[in-house]
């Protein structure tokens, strides 16, 4: 009985009380912050969706106007000449062997430092001359919005302001943190800015790290000859989209195994 009385009279230390209070306050603050972030994320998600739909409708409208102009010219017996491209997609297809200092420096200025690197370049007098100087080492053309989106989603990395590190684009917050001051807050804004060569193309293009691609499926035709002569280097115009799509691995190793297994099973059933 005396022992039980002494145990009941024992009080909790003051330090333990303060620790429990701090722990409860921290948990409450964390829960409140998580709830606020969730509400903000839902609000942002609606804005991202609205922006994506806006750019998609604009793209469809532009395509429809182009088709209408083409049909109108055809009906009147004229020839429709589409506007000149503003952006080029440039891919380096040669390495460093037997590379003279001048082309090497130009390739560095174009941010094409490695084999199979790809960049988007704004077309003007200066950049066209630079591309002509290194034409035997590159292939280029005029990208569609679909191929730019595929590059951003599948091979998109960005350069961080502080550390200059190569970080994968995984969240719209990463884009908004560096390009939000230019009105670019999500991936769809970034794709639209790069495709349309908008007023902040330079900032958006510098934000994106050069795309690192692989050897095209099926290999090269002939690197020593131009594309016009049945080779690989030079201007491909709109056919650059087919070429680059072969350099992006669209399926993982596991997916390819499953596809091959399904194909094999179908053939077995037919037999």
């Amino acid at each position: 009985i005396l022992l039980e009385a002494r145990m009941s009279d024992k009080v909790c230390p003051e330090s333990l009380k303060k620790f429990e209070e701090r722990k409860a306050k921290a948990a409450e603050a964390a829960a409140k912050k998580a709830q606020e972030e969730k509400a903000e994320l839902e609000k942002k998600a609606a804005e991202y969706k609205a922006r994506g739909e806006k750019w998609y409708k604009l793209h469809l409208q532009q395509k429809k106007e182009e088709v209408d102009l083409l049909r109108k010219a055809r009906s009147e017996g004229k020839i429709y000449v589409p506007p000149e491209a503003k952006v080029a997609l440039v891919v380096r297809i040669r390495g460093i062997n037997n590379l003279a200092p001048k082309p090497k420096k130009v390739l560095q200025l174009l941010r094409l430092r490695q084999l199979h690197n790809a960049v988007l370049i704004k077309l003007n007098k200066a950049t066209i001359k630079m591309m002509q100087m290194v034409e035997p080492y590159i292939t280029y053309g005029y990208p569609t919005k679909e191929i730019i989106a595929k590059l951003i989603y599948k091979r998109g990395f960005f350069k961080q302001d502080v550390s200059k590190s190569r970080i994968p684009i995984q969240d719209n917050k990463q884009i908004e943190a560096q390009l939000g001051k230019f009105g670019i807050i999500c991936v769809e804004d970034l794709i639209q800015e790069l495709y349309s060569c908008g007023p902040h193309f330079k900032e958006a293009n510098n934000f994106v790290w050069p795309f690192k691609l692989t050897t095209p499926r099926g290999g090269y035709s002939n690197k020593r000859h131009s594309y016009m002569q049945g080779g690989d280097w030079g201007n491909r115009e709109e056919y650059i989209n087919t070429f680059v799509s072969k350099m992006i691995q669209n399926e993982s190793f596991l997916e390819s195994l499953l596809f091959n297994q399904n194909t094999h099973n179908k053939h077995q059933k037919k037999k």
Side-chain angles (χ1 to χ4, degrees):
I1 297 169
L2 186 62
L3 182 62
E4 288 179 1
R6 286 179 181 175
M7 291 284 288
S8 61
D9 292 340
K10 191 176 181 180
V11 273
C12 184
E14 190 68 25
S15 59
L16 185 59
K17 282 183 181 180
K18 289 181 178 179
F19 172 74
E20 292 294 337
E21 287 175 4
R22 286 198 303 269
K23 190 176 177 182
K25 284 182 181 179
E28 187 181 351
K32 186 179 179 182
K33 186 179 178 182
Q35 192 174 1
E36 289 175 356
E37 286 180 354
K38 185 180 178 181
E40 186 181 354
L41 187 62
E42 288 176 357
K43 185 180 176 182
K44 287 282 185 183
E47 188 178 358
Y48 297 151
K49 184 180 178 181
R51 286 195 174 224
E53 289 175 353
K54 172 188 170 185
W55 298 131
Y56 178 69
K57 288 177 182 177
L58 179 64
H59 183 61
L60 289 181
Q61 184 183 350
Q62 289 173 348
K63 288 288 183 185
K64 185 177 180 301
E65 288 175 358
E66 189 175 352
V67 171
D68 291 342
L69 289 171
L70 180 63
R71 287 174 178 170
K72 184 180 177 182
R74 223 179 254 171
S75 64
E76 295 176 355
K78 298 178 182 178
I79 298 174
Y80 170 69
V81 180
E84 292 184 359
K86 298 179 182 178
V87 179
L89 178 59
V90 186
V91 183
R92 179 170 175 172
I93 61 171
R94 297 284 293 272
I96 59 172
N97 290 344
N98 301 323
L99 186 62
K102 196 170 182 180
K104 184 178 180 181
K105 183 63 179 177
V106 174
L107 287 170
Q108 288 178 359
L109 292 173
L110 294 174
R111 302 197 301 162
L112 296 170
R113 293 175 174 269
Q114 295 177 333
L115 179 66
H116 299 148
N117 272 12
V119 292
L120 292 165
I121 293 177
K122 184 178 181 179
L123 291 175
N124 53 40
K125 188 177 179 181
T127 55
I128 289 171
K129 280 190 175 181
M130 290 171 70
M131 286 159 60
Q132 287 173 351
M133 290 172 65
V134 294
E135 204 166 16
Y137 306 98
I138 61 172
T139 184
Y140 58 95
Y142 315 127
T144 60
K145 190 173 183 179
E146 289 75 19
I147 202 69
I148 294 176
K150 192 180 284 188
L151 285 169
I152 293 291
Y153 278 111
K154 290 185 175 290
R155 297 299 175 92
F157 287 76
F158 75 98
K159 181 168 60 178
Q160 198 174 29
D161 275 341
V162 181
S163 62
K164 307 296 180 185
S165 303
R166 182 174 179 263
I167 302 172
I169 299 174
Q170 296 177 331
D171 196 350
N172 289 322
K173 289 181 181 178
Q174 298 169 330
I175 299 172
E176 189 173 3
Q178 292 189 214
L179 299 176
K181 55 189 174 183
F182 304 115
I184 302 170
I185 64 169
C186 62
V187 177
E188 295 301 324
D189 288 347
L190 181 63
I191 294 169
Q192 178 65 23
E193 191 72 18
L194 294 173
Y195 172 69
S196 63
C197 194
H200 300 293
F201 174 84
K202 181 180 177 181
E203 290 82 3
N205 198 29
N206 287 337
F207 168 78
V208 179
W209 200 280
F211 304 105
K212 293 189 177 185
L213 308 179
T214 58
T215 307
R217 291 193 303 273
Y220 291 100
S221 300
N222 192 339
K223 288 186 181 182
R224 291 175 296 174
H225 293 85
S226 69
Y227 182 70
M228 298 298 292
Q229 296 174 339
D232 289 305
W233 61 263
N235 190 358
R236 294 172 180 257
E237 296 185 356
E238 68 273 7
Y239 295 105
I240 190 69
N241 300 291
T242 308
F243 179 74
V244 170
S245 64
K246 292 178 182 178
M247 302 181 80
I248 304 172
Q249 293 179 353
N250 294 324
E251 57 183 6
S252 65
F253 179 69
L254 181 61
E255 288 174 345
S256 61
L257 282 178
L258 291 172
F259 176 78
N260 293 335
Q261 185 65 35
N262 292 336
T263 308
H264 177 71
N265 293 338
K266 286 180 182 177
H267 286 305
Q268 291 292 333
K269 286 179 182 179
K270 286 181 181 178
K271 290 179 181 180

